[in-house]
């Protein structure tokens, strides 16, 4: 999709030239003009109604394996050249201006994720009515549901990426998400449940979404959990269900495969390419090309085409997620994985839509294989320390499995462990792959990513609970 | 463009759109950040970013909008969006501040630190880090950072307020290795003035923190007393902060509802929220609604004294705003946040806390707070690291444990408070400061 007027070509050329004037190896400009809209209802009443424009430029200069990054939203020519000059001053080069800025060639590509209805087309009143309907259904689901929260957001981002090698790429990225949360109360105890729909598409989301499903699923989880006992702690086999269950993969493996950590020797998967790192049932893919998926993109934030990267194939590590700068240090090409939240962040290697490929075990086989363990039906967010692979995440909907049967719901559970260990301990993989949206926060800010997997069994994980 | 000229043009046109009153909130932040890796500048970030938000009443309802484009073209966008938001707003109304005061608060601890100074500091800190201990195998980041900010609020009632602030940060990420065990530590240093920093001291401190984690083992699961270190305590309080907001109480989401005048914590706990504190990085003389920040006790000797208020929640309870109507950024609506919120320290040194603990654990880092802590119920189950202590002496480091408990029970289970009050980096509004504390009845999940 074409966008124009973000920056004059001559000015872009001049900025890049100033940026390289002190001996930088490569310079890049990222300009964005992004409209965002955000609507939140609490128990059917409007709570947040906000919209605005994010607008600015980031200039990046490479020197060796290091980079200088500056950003501003004072967009006058004079200031931009001044900022570029300040950035260049931080490049401690000797070979002044040796690298020339090449003439721009416009990058062309097909729009793989078209938005049918652009943000701003439908009235905000219509959006409020959809959220209110979801809230009404949730509140009627069960007397224990005392509160709801419904959120709608859309993003309409226009970007320009230009670099000293002559790249001139523009793109328009449209994202939408609707999030339903229910709160169930019983005495002093409150538990929440949520369900969402999200994609790299426009306001057609309002037509695609199923209000009854969002409302009832969020209410069902809240009510189940408010009636649950605390989860026992200890080491036990754990079944992690499909969809957002893939957050285990995202946290325990994905982040450790990002070049950001790998290039600096700060990942437990350094130097393990083509080695066996998981059971042969495990295949892991990061795919930015899935049509209209939340984590997809046409081009990454360095202007490289998004692509499908096989990270682990039948247990063997095949690829990292590589951005241009870290790729230099690692001697590897970009994998089209460089992303950033906005012009306020230098881009770096990030995930897109990351998932375990399907296996052949059935869900019944997996559950019935366990004498005593935890069934994590819905996972929450988590975090990981890439250098050691230690991770931690919350179980939002969990059940104890006893004698091969799902016995009772439990709340307050968390899973902790080390990525490489868990990966090696996955011994059953089912065939019901699904993906769910998340927002991943890391060095280059918060970016939309999908987590996905079929149901899997992990031999043993430490479950943190309260009893 | 000049913010006062922009304001005049915006207010003029707002009248034409039918707004009966209006407000502009402007924020500028400048930051310089240098990261060094293996004697090279790995990152150099310099930024200068401004944004405005608008809010105003039209037909008796309030509407919001914001823009990072501050030019005449942005005015119609701001007013059109705010008007549409007002037209569908059926939430509680909020007033603009009718107090027509004009005040300016300068930065009292302003300092100069050139890019060269920051680069050399990061290089020095990295060098001293490697020199301090041979078990330091990797220093993924040696970072220095200075931040400056300016906030300006004006409204159609004649209010005009400005506040400046600045602070410096240094961070050393260290990986230590011994017998194939890798330990990681991020040591963060904050000060009002960059000149107070010393790279060698920072490096030594960071290295000491990471090497003492080597040899960590997984302990058996148990229920134990712990010393929750100051930084970890701030991290935990961050999650539960919202329960002290009147706004959360009104929504029925705080278990502190109807608890004013009651014992909600051990009697040794006094929590204050103040505009300035000698150990806090920023002075916050007024909040994002232009209310002067009032110094107050939230908990006094274990008894809940009051909540944090913005204008909207204050109106509901027929009280005055406590000056806690902060926005998370210029893009965010007015919410509630602390100014400088802290537990009053005692005069007990960390060694005295250790003796008092006897046998138990020191917990000095918590992770997964956004996932493992339920802000409403108070339940938490968090990945933690720290040390095992026997008879007042640190025996060994512990790893891969979860600590689990409940925030409200924890407040009552405090057995002792230390003197080492430390403030976390400023977030929306101000920051949270905690001393280390001994806490009883914490579930430790290990082996």
């Amino acid at each position: 999709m074409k966008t124009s007027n973000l920056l004059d070509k001559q000015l872009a050329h001049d900025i890049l030239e100033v940026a390289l004037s002190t001996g930088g190896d490569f310079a890049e400009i990222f300009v964005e003009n992004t409209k965002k809209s955000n609507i939140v209802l609490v128990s059917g009443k409007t709570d947040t109604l906000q919209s605005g424009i994010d607008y600015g430029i980031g200039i990046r200069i490479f020197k060796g394996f290091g980079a200088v990054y500056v950003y501003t939203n004072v967009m006058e020519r004079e200031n931009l050249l001044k900022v570029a000059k300040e950035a260049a001053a931080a490049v401690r080069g000797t070979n002044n201006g040796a690298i020339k800025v090449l003439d721009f060639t416009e990058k062309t590509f097909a729009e793989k994720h078209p938005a049918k209805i652009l943000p701003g087309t439908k009235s905000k009143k219509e959006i409020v009515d959809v959220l209110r309907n979801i809230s009404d259904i949730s509140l009627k689901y069960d007397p224990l549901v005392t509160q709801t929260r419904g959120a709608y957001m859309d993003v309409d981002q226009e970007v320009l990426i230009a670099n000293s090698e002559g790249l001139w790429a523009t793109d328009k990225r449209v994202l939408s998400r609707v999030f339903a949360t229910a709160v169930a109360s019983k005495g002093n105890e409150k538990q929440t449940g949520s369900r969402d729909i999200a994609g790299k598409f426009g306001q057609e989301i309002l037509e695609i979404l199923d209000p009854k499903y969002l409302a009832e699923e969020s209410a069902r989880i809240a009510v189940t959990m408010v009636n649950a006992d605390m989860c026992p702690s200890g080491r036990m086999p754990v079944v992690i269900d499909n969809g957002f269950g893939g957050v285990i993969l995202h946290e325990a493996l994905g982040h450790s495969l990002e070049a950001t950590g790998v290039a600096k020797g700060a990942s437990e998967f350094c130097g393990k390419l083509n080695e066996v790192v998981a059971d042969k049932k495990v295949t892991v893919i990061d795919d930015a090309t899935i049509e209209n998926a939340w984590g997809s993109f046409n081009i990454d934030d360095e202007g490289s085409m998004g692509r499908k990267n096989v990270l682990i194939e039948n247990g063997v590590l095949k690829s990292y997620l590589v951005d241009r700068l870290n790729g230099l240090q690692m001697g590897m090409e970009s994998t089209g994985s460089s992303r950033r939240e906005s012009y306020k962040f230098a881009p770096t290697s990030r995930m897109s839509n990351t998932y375990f490929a399907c296996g052949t075990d059935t869900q019944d086989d997996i559950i019935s294989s366990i004498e005593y363990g935890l069934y994590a039906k819905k996972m929450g967010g988590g975090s990981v320390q890439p250098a050691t692979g230690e991770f931690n995440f919350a179980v939002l909907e969990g059940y104890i499995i006893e004698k091969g049967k799902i016995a009772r719901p439990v709340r307050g559970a968390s899973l902790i462990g080390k990525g490489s260990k868990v990966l090696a301990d996955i011994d059953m993989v089912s065939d019901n792959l699904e993906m769910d949206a998340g927002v991943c926060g890391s060095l280059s800010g918060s970016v939309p990513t999908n987590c996905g997997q079929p149901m899997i069994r992990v031999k043993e994980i430490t479950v943190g609970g309260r009893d | 463009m000049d913010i006062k000229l922009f304001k005049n043009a915006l207010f003029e046109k707002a009248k034409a759109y039918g707004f009966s009153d209006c407000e502009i909130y402007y924020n500028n932040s400048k930051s310089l950040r240098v990261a060094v890796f293996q004697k090279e500048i790995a990152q150099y970030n310099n930024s200068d970013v401004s944004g405005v938000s608008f809010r105003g009443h039209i037909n008796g309802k309030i509407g919001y909008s914001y823009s990072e484009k501050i030019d005449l073209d942005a005015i119609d966008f701001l007013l059109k969006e705010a008007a549409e938001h007002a037209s569908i707003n059926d939430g509680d109304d909020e007033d603009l501040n009718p107090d027509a005061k004009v005040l300016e608060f300068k930065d009292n601890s302003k300092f100069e630190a050139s890019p060269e100074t920051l680069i050399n500091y990061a290089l020095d800190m990295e060098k001293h880090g490697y020199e301090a201990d041979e078990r330091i195998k990797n220093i993924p980041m040696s970072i220095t950072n200075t931040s400056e900010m300016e906030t300006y609020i004006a409204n159609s009632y004649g209010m005009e307020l400005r506040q400046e602030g600045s602070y410096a940060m240094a961070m050393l990420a260290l990986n230590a290795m011994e017998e194939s065990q890798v330990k990681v530590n991020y040591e963060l240093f904050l000060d009002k003035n960059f000149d107070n920093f010393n790279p060698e001291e920072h490096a030594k401190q960071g290295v000491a923190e990471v090497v003492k984690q080597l040899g960590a083992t997984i302990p058996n699961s148990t229920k134990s007393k712990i010393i929750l270190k100051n930084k970890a305590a701030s991290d935990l309080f961050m999650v539960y902060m919202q329960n002290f907001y009147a706004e959360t109480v009104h929504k029925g989401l705080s278990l502190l509802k109807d608890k004013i005048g009651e014992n909600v914590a051990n009697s040794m706990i006094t929590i204050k929220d103040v505009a300035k504190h000698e150990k806090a990085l920023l002075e916050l003389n007024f909040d994002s609604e232009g209310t002067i920040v009032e110094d107050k006790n939230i908990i006094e000797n274990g008894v809940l004294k009051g909540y944090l208020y913005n204008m909207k929640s204050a109106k509901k309870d027929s009280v005055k705003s406590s000056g806690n109507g902060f926005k998370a950024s210029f893009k965010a609506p007015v919410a509630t946040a602390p100014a400088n919120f802290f537990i009053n320290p005692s005069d007990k040194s960390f060694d005295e806390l250790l003796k008092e603990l006897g046998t138990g654990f020191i917990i000095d880092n918590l992770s997964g707070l956004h996932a493992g802590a339920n802000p409403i119920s108070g339940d938490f189950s968090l990945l933690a690291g720290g040390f095992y202590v026997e008879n007042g002496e640190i025996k060994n480091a512990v790893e891969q444990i979860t600590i689990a408990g409940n925030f409200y029970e924890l407040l009552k289970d405090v057995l002792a408070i230390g003197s080492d009050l430390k403030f976390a980096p400023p977030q929306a509004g101000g920051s949270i400061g905690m001393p280390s504390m001994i806490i009883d009845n914490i579930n430790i999940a290990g082996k």
Side-chain angles (χ1 to χ4, degrees), chain A residues 263-427:
Chain A
K264 296 193 163 47
S267 161
E268 58 176 342
F269 293 101
C270 285
K272 293 205 175 151
L273 274 186
N274 298 315
E275 284 181 24
V276 174
V277 295
D279 190 280
K280 62 177 183 306
K281 287 186 176 180
V282 174
T283 291
V284 177
I285 292 163
D286 182 83
D287 187 357
T289 67
I290 302 170
E291 207 172 296
N292 295 112
W294 175 246
S296 293
F297 41 84
N298 292 311
I299 52 170
D300 74 1
D301 289 326
E302 291 175 344
S304 298
M305 295 308 295
R307 67 197 75 165
K308 180 175 180 175
N309 291 301
V310 177
L311 305 177
I312 292 178
E313 194 170 12
N314 302 325
V316 177
L317 182 61
K318 287 293 182 189
S319 176
Y320 300 114
L321 293 164
V322 187
D323 60 288
R324 184 171 183 136
L325 181 65
N326 287 304
L328 288 174
Q329 196 156 9
M330 294 159 68
M332 287 179 192
E333 292 284 309
S334 156
T335 55
S337 307
S338 193
R339 305 184 71 189
R340 56 177 122 201
E341 179 182 325
S342 71
Y343 70 94
K344 290 172 187 161
F345 297 86
T348 193
S349 48
R350 304 289 295 270
M351 284 172 264
S352 60
N353 305 298
T354 315
Y355 59 94
F356 280 118
C358 284
T360 53
D361 299 301
T362 69
Q363 296 148 58
D364 284 349
D365 287 347
I366 294 178
I367 300 285
S368 60
S369 72
I370 290 173
E371 185 58 27
Y372 178 82
L374 179 72
Y375 167 41
K377 185 169 164 63
K378 188 159 174 19
M379 297 299 303
S383 65
V384 70
Q385 169 54 258
T388 60
E390 286 173 75
F391 65 78
N392 168 25
F393 36 94
V395 180
L396 296 184
E397 184 184 357
Y399 299 83
I400 289 293
I401 303 173
E402 270 168 2
K403 301 195 171 73
K405 296 228 154 39
I406 296 168
R408 59 180 189 278
V410 286
R411 64 184 160 89
S414 62
L415 304 182
I416 66 165
K418 283 197 181 184
S420 52
K421 177 82 171 61
V422 164
L423 205 56
D425 282 354
I426 294 171
D427 57 0

Side-chain angles (χ1 to χ4, degrees), chain B residues 22-55:
Chain B
C22 57
E23 177 198 84
I24 183 173
Y25 176 97
Y26 164 86
N27 184 270
N28 172 266
S29 57
K30 295 186 178 71
S31 160
L32 180 60
R33 181 176 183 275
V34 176
V36 157
F37 178 60
Q38 291 176 353
K39 299 181 190 167
E40 297 281 343
I41 303 171
Q43 284 173 22
Y44 175 96
N45 291 0
N46 194 356
S47 68
D48 179 352
V49 171
S50 303
V52 291
S53 63
F54 171 86
R55 56 177 187 144

Side-chain angles (χ1 to χ4, degrees), chain A residues 416-463:
Chain A
I416 66 165
K418 283 197 181 184
S420 52
K421 177 82 171 61
V422 164
L423 205 56
D425 282 354
I426 294 171
D427 57 0
M428 292 179 91
V429 180
S430 172
D431 54 3
N432 56 343
L433 172 66
E434 246 185 53
M435 276 190 239
D436 272 322
V439 175
C440 168
S442 185
L443 276 184
S444 60
S446 296
V447 297
T449 54
N450 258 338
C451 299
Q453 66 173 43
M455 180 189 274
I456 59 166
R457 184 180 89 158
V458 185
K459 255 184 276 177
E460 197 181 56
I461 300 187
T462 299
V463 174

Side-chain angles (χ1 to χ4, degrees), chain A residues 61-358:
Chain A
I61 312 171
F62 287 9
K63 177 68 193 173
F65 300 144
V68 167
Y69 192 73
V70 294
Y71 62 90
T72 180
N73 59 7
V74 182
M75 298 294 279
E76 281 94 31
R77 178 182 170 91
E78 223 170 275
N79 183 60
L80 294 180
L81 293 175
K82 180 182 138 247
V83 166
K85 200 173 168 189
E86 282 168 4
V91 174
R92 296 174 154 191
T94 46
N95 207 359
N96 291 2
I99 305 287
K100 296 282 173 241
V101 179
L102 301 182
D103 286 342
F104 295 124
T105 308
E106 284 191 31
K107 189 178 181 105
T108 52
F109 50 86
E111 171 57 76
K112 287 196 85 163
H113 317 284
K116 292 195 182 78
I117 305 173
L118 285 177
T121 308
K122 294 192 184 261
S123 76
K124 299 192 190 225
K125 165 125 191 351
E126 196 176 335
I127 300 166
V128 166
D129 289 343
V130 169
L131 295 178
R132 195 166 280 145
N133 180 32
I134 294 171
S135 170
D136 288 347
I137 301 171
S138 244
L139 289 167
K140 279 185 207 130
Y141 177 84
D142 191 297
L144 292 176
V145 176
T146 51
Q147 225 152 34
T148 65
R149 186 174 185 279
Y152 165 94
M153 60 83 82
D154 64 41
V155 175
D156 182 351
Q157 183 192 42
E158 293 186 337
V159 299
L160 160 69
I161 303 153
N163 71 31
S164 54
E165 292 176 351
L167 173 79
W168 184 272
T170 56
D171 196 12
K172 185 178 176 75
R173 290 113 169 227
V174 175
L175 289 164
S176 302
R177 189 177 199 188
V178 169
F179 207 98
T181 303
V183 180
S185 314
K186 201 175 162 186
N188 268 349
E189 187 56 42
K190 284 182 200 292
Q191 290 285 323
T192 58
S194 43
R195 186 65 240 189
D196 72 307
I197 168 173
K200 192 166 187 299
F201 44 52
Q203 292 189 320
E204 59 264 33
I205 191 171
L206 299 171
E207 289 153 19
I208 302 167
L209 66 79
D210 177 353
K212 191 164 177 287
Y213 172 71
L214 292 174
E216 294 188 349
E217 183 65 3
S218 54
R220 182 192 63 75
I221 296 171
V223 170
T224 306
M225 286 300 104
V226 85
N227 284 320
D229 291 329
M230 289 312 263
C231 183
S233 52
R235 294 185 65 80
M236 58 186 87
V238 176
V239 175
I240 304 168
D241 212 344
N242 66 355
F244 202 68
V247 71
I248 186 174
L249 168 71
H250 176 102
E251 299 294 350
L253 174 76
H255 280 296
S256 300
L257 292 181
E258 290 168 348
T260 321
V262 178
K264 296 193 163 47
S267 161
E268 58 176 342
F269 293 101
C270 285
K272 293 205 175 151
L273 274 186
N274 298 315
E275 284 181 24
V276 174
V277 295
D279 190 280
K280 62 177 183 306
K281 287 186 176 180
V282 174
T283 291
V284 177
I285 292 163
D286 182 83
D287 187 357
T289 67
I290 302 170
E291 207 172 296
N292 295 112
W294 175 246
S296 293
F297 41 84
N298 292 311
I299 52 170
D300 74 1
D301 289 326
E302 291 175 344
S304 298
M305 295 308 295
R307 67 197 75 165
K308 180 175 180 175
N309 291 301
V310 177
L311 305 177
I312 292 178
E313 194 170 12
N314 302 325
V316 177
L317 182 61
K318 287 293 182 189
S319 176
Y320 300 114
L321 293 164
V322 187
D323 60 288
R324 184 171 183 136
L325 181 65
N326 287 304
L328 288 174
Q329 196 156 9
M330 294 159 68
M332 287 179 192
E333 292 284 309
S334 156
T335 55
S337 307
S338 193
R339 305 184 71 189
R340 56 177 122 201
E341 179 182 325
S342 71
Y343 70 94
K344 290 172 187 161
F345 297 86
T348 193
S349 48
R350 304 289 295 270
M351 284 172 264
S352 60
N353 305 298
T354 315
Y355 59 94
F356 280 118
C358 284

Side-chain angles (χ1 to χ4, degrees), chain A residues 46 50-55 67 69-73 92 124 132 147 190 264 343-344 381-382 392 394 414, chain B residues 42 44-48 50 65-66 68 81 84-85 89-91 116 138 251-253 331 367 370-371 381 404:
Chain A
T46 57
Q50 179 65 294
S51 58
I53 299 172
D54 290 0
Y55 174 66
Y69 192 73
V70 294
Y71 62 90
T72 180
N73 59 7
R92 296 174 154 191
K124 299 192 190 225
R132 195 166 280 145
Q147 225 152 34
K190 284 182 200 292
K264 296 193 163 47
Y343 70 94
K344 290 172 187 161
N392 168 25
S414 62
Chain B
Y44 175 96
N45 291 0
N46 194 356
S47 68
D48 179 352
S50 303
S65 55
Y66 70 86
E68 290 184 348
E81 292 287 312
E84 187 178 1
H85 290 147
N89 184 355
D90 67 350
E116 207 57 27
N138 193 8
K251 285 179 182 164
L253 297 175
K331 294 176 187 178
S367 19
H370 65 295
S381 175

